[in-house]
């Protein structure tokens, strides 16, 4: 008996759950790394900007909105490391939202497996795994840009 030929449809049937599992594993791995990574100099600099924003000594809120975004963290945390870890969890949630937006944007033009591959490539990139949840300005900015692109594609 001759086995049926391998087609794109058959590959996508098992590929989509596999890719979805790989994306979830990559995001889970990022979440595991959030409390274990040491504090970086750029994170401490960003936390210093948050303190300056809290004292109203930082520049324009429009230009430094990310520092103003994390002012809530100063009233909750006891130490700087606790504040940093809590801010990293917020950044991680933003990374998950970025993955969802990348999927929506890619899905507007490509198949579900191709869109999941785009999310997987972004979520498991070594720099993103190591620094994706760090307290930096690029994650909120990327989230806003991708949200804008998603809204433009939907309209």
């Amino acid at each position: 008996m001759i086995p049926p030929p391998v087609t794109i449809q058959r590959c996508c049937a098992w590929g989509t759950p596999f890719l979805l599992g790989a994306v979830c594993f990559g995001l889970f791995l990022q979440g595991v790394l959030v409390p274990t990574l040491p504090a970086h100099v750029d994170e401490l600099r960003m936390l210093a900007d948050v303190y300056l924003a809290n004292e109203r000594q930082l520049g324009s809120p429009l230009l430094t909105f990310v520092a103003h975004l994390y002012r809530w963290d100063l009233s909750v945390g006891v130490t700087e490391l606790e504040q940093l870890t809590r801010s990293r969890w917020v950044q991680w949630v933003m990374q998950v939202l970025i993955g969802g937006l990348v999927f929506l944007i890619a899905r507007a033009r490509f198949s579900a497996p191709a869109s999941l591959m785009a999310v997987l490539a972004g979520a498991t990139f070594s720099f993103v795994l190591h620094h994706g949840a760090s307290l930096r300005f690029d994650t909120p900015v990327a989230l806003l840009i991708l949200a804008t692109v998603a809204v433009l594609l939907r309209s």
Side-chain angles (χ1 to χ4, degrees):
M1 176 173 207
I2 298 174
V6 176
T7 62
I8 296 294
Q9 289 79 15
R10 285 185 60 211
C11 288
C12 289
W14 64 265
T16 302
F18 173 75
L19 286 172
L20 184 60
V23 167
C24 290
F25 179 73
L27 292 172
F28 170 76
L29 186 60
Q30 238 184 19
V32 168
L33 291 175
V34 164
T36 61
L37 292 175
H40 300 285
V41 174
D42 54 348
E43 288 180 303
L44 296 175
R45 176 65 193 149
M46 184 68 174
L47 194 58
D49 286 346
V50 172
Y51 276 99
L52 288 175
N54 192 44
E55 296 171 2
R56 309 261 190 245
Q57 294 179 359
L58 203 56
S60 166
L62 184 61
L63 297 175
T64 57
F65 77 95
V66 176
H68 292 276
L69 177 71
Y70 285 100
R71 284 177 48 198
W72 62 269
D73 198 21
L74 299 180
S75 62
V76 179
V78 177
T79 66
E80 285 83 6
L81 290 178
E82 288 176 2
Q83 294 166 351
L84 192 60
T85 302
R86 197 172 13 268
S87 298
R88 283 180 177 178
W89 283 114
V90 173
Q91 294 280 96
W92 181 77
V93 169
M94 287 184 196
Q95 286 285 50
V96 172
L97 292 173
I98 285 172
L101 288 170
V102 167
F103 179 80
L104 288 176
I105 291 168
R107 192 68 182 104
R109 299 282 183 208
F110 302 106
S111 66
S115 302
L116 283 172
M117 191 62 197
V119 175
L120 180 65
T124 59
F125 183 63
S126 63
F127 186 78
V128 173
L129 277 176
H130 194 262
H131 296 287
S134 296
L135 179 59
R136 300 164 57 107
F137 66 89
D138 48 355
T139 304
V141 171
L143 180 66
L144 289 174
I145 290 171
L146 288 174
T148 304
V149 170
V151 167
L152 289 175
L153 282 175
R154 295 288 177 185
S155 62

